[in-house]
Amino acid sequence: MKRVTIVGIGMGPDTVTQEGLEAIQKADILLGAPRMLHAFSYLGKKSYPEYTPKGVCHIVDTSEAALFAVLVSGDTGFFSAAEDLCMALANCEVSLIPGISSLNYFFAKLKRPWQDAALLSCHGRSTNLVDMVRRNRLTFALTGGNLIELAQTLADAGFGGLAAHVGENLSMETERLLTCPVAEIQALGADALCVLLIENPNCDSRVRLGIPDEEFIRGNVPMTKAEVRAVSLSKLGLSPNSVCCDIGAGTGSVAVEMALAAYRGHVYAVEQNEAATALIRQNCRKFHLSNVTAIPRGAPEALDNLPTLDAAFIGGSSGHLKGIVSALIKNNPSMRIVINAIALETLHAALEALDVHGIPAEVVQLGISKAESAGRLHMMKAQNPIFVISGGNYAR
């Protein structure tokens, strides 16, 4: 059986471990990206500039050699190509040699521990850096030539004043360690090969239900009240990865709580009122959210091109409830739907709209009263009763 060693070479030849160097020296054939192979060209080994699983497997399978070393950057266990290579080389005897990652190299340069940092890669991946920064005191990110874009996204979410540390061209002669506010990253003129560390001393990892009404920017737009939001969100049962929508989003209060719950997912806030759409964006910035997209159109038309949804909240339908539910079921027949209604006619329409599609409905009536001062006394003042209608499958 052919033997393949996947070697994490750290930042380059100066940071490869002794064990890694010995494996490279013993190999009959070296494979990897051209810049990695060039670093070890002095060994005079037969080399192939190939690092994709398919390409590596082809060379290993067709070669008469018995011992191979595949060079990968950083550490084999930290956002590395090693995982896919291991699966592709299932017919070989595969071993891994860890290397020094940009993570531990960078933190060592900063003279700081990294065990409490949240870690992610924004290199060719769909990630939510804003959410990680919102929920963690320290967030470390591998960038992929998109440092300026990442900084702008953070600034747009209200994080422009946070301290950022940038590691550029680590271990190279042109290495730089830079510190500045997020909003000033663009002025650094940093190279594409960078890592990023953001500090958020006021991080907040709570998933909040029933956020007090006064925390939202209100305007003159209707808003779902805190207690109703709490019950409605509990009936939605979102998971961290849920993709969902808030129809008739108003100020965006439900969309905000959806986004806090589905922090690895995405929320589409459908609202045809222009002033309300502006409030949605303002509230998303206030709560440091980047996983909400405001759609300034009415439903059901606004639902036509959305990705597959796991759940939907309908707070306002402008008389199009039946069409909205039909559009949602067309998007995903298994989705979870929660509808708020004040009028009895809307309750009837909601039940009818769900029944047409064979969805059993649960109805909860909320009668909420709050104490208000009346001189030296306090009296309970009732709000309008709300019907919370729910049906469909919970997201997983």
Side-chain angles (χ1 to χ4, degrees):
M1 181 179 289
K2 294 183 178 181
R3 296 169 57 195
V4 180
T5 303
I6 302 174
V7 182
I9 66 166
M11 308 295 101
D14 293 336
T15 56
V16 67
T17 65
Q18 183 62 37
E19 182 185 16
L21 182 58
E22 290 176 0
I24 293 170
Q25 292 170 336
K26 291 177 181 177
D28 300 317
I29 291 178
L30 303 182
L31 300 98
R35 69 179 181 86
M36 299 182 196
L37 296 176
H38 178 72
F40 298 96
S41 60
Y42 68 92
L43 295 174
K45 297 282 184 179
K46 189 173 184 179
S47 302
Y48 292 94
E50 183 59 74
Y51 51 89
T52 66
K54 183 177 179 180
V56 169
C57 283
H58 176 73
I59 293 172
V60 172
D61 290 342
T62 57
S63 173
E64 295 182 357
L67 191 58
F68 303 81
V70 183
L71 313 184
V72 297
S73 63
D75 176 62
T76 53
F78 185 63
F79 297 106
S80 171
E83 181 179 11
D84 290 338
L85 287 168
C86 283
M87 291 189 289
L89 294 165
N91 295 324
C92 301
E93 181 183 334
V94 180
S95 59
L96 277 69
I97 297 177
I100 297 173
S101 69
S102 56
L103 166 70
N104 49 36
Y105 181 94
F106 184 50
F107 273 83
K109 285 286 185 176
L110 295 176
K111 301 180 179 66
R112 300 178 64 166
W114 57 266
Q115 68 264 17
D116 295 326
L119 317 175
L120 78 162
S121 173
C122 301
H123 184 191
R125 299 167 183 259
S126 177
T127 58
N128 189 345
L129 177 60
V130 168
D131 172 75
M132 294 285 273
V133 170
R134 178 177 59 80
R135 294 190 298 117
N136 295 277
R137 186 177 63 85
L138 297 176
T139 301
F140 173 88
L142 298 174
T143 70
N146 55 352
L147 178 65
I148 303 303
E149 178 185 343
L150 295 174
Q152 187 62 55
T153 300
L154 288 167
D156 289 345
F159 283 141
L162 295 183
H165 306 276
V166 178
E168 177 188 47
N169 297 328
L170 298 180
S171 85
M172 302 179 187
E173 291 184 0
T174 54
E175 174 181 286
R176 288 198 303 169
L177 303 180
L178 308 163
T179 297
C180 67
V182 167
E184 297 178 14
I185 285 179
Q186 187 169 0
L188 295 178
D191 192 89
L193 196 58
C194 289
V195 297
L196 176 65
L197 173 66
I198 305 295
E199 296 191 64
N200 183 6
N202 298 313
C203 60
D204 186 352
S205 61
R206 293 175 295 170
V207 174
R208 303 177 66 190
L209 297 181
I211 297 171
D213 295 342
E214 56 269 20
E215 290 193 30
F216 291 93
I217 303 169
R218 295 287 298 274
N220 295 315
V221 177
M223 185 179 79
T224 303
K225 300 299 191 294
E227 294 79 12
V228 179
R229 257 183 279 123
V231 173
S232 297
L233 266 291
S234 74
K235 296 300 182 182
L236 279 169
L238 301 179
S239 73
N241 295 308
S242 290
V243 178
C244 44
C245 68
D246 175 7
I247 300 169
T251 61
S253 63
V254 173
V256 164
E257 293 200 12
M258 281 177 143
L260 291 172
Y263 53 84
R264 289 199 298 264
H266 202 85
V267 179
Y268 295 90
V270 177
E271 175 54 63
Q272 60 186 349
N273 183 296
E274 186 176 337
T277 302
L279 283 173
I280 292 168
R281 296 192 176 102
Q282 291 175 47
N283 278 312
C284 287
R285 180 180 175 86
K286 179 175 181 179
F287 287 90
H288 305 301
L289 299 168
S290 68
N291 59 332
V292 177
T293 298
I295 301 178
R297 295 177 60 196
E301 294 78 14
L303 307 176
D304 289 343
N305 298 314
L306 294 185
T308 301
L309 300 168
D310 298 303
F313 172 79
I314 305 174
S317 63
S318 299
H320 302 294
L321 189 53
K322 184 177 180 180
I324 291 171
V325 171
S326 293
L328 291 172
I329 297 303
K330 181 180 179 181
N331 175 283
N332 178 10
S334 299
M335 78 159 56
R336 181 74 175 167
I337 299 175
V338 173
I339 305 167
N340 279 184
I342 297 177
L344 293 174
E345 290 79 6
T346 307
L347 169 63
H348 176 74
L351 293 173
E352 189 175 62
L354 293 173
D355 185 62
V356 166
H357 298 281
I359 301 175
E362 177 192 42
V363 180
V364 174
Q365 184 188 42
L366 302 180
I368 299 167
S369 297
K370 289 191 172 183
E372 290 191 358
S373 298
R376 297 175 60 186
L377 304 177
H378 290 80
M379 299 178 62
M380 301 303 293
K381 184 174 182 180
Q383 299 178 1
N384 289 328
I386 301 288
F387 298 101
V388 179
I389 308 103
S390 57
N393 299 316
Y394 286 101
R396 295 187 181 274

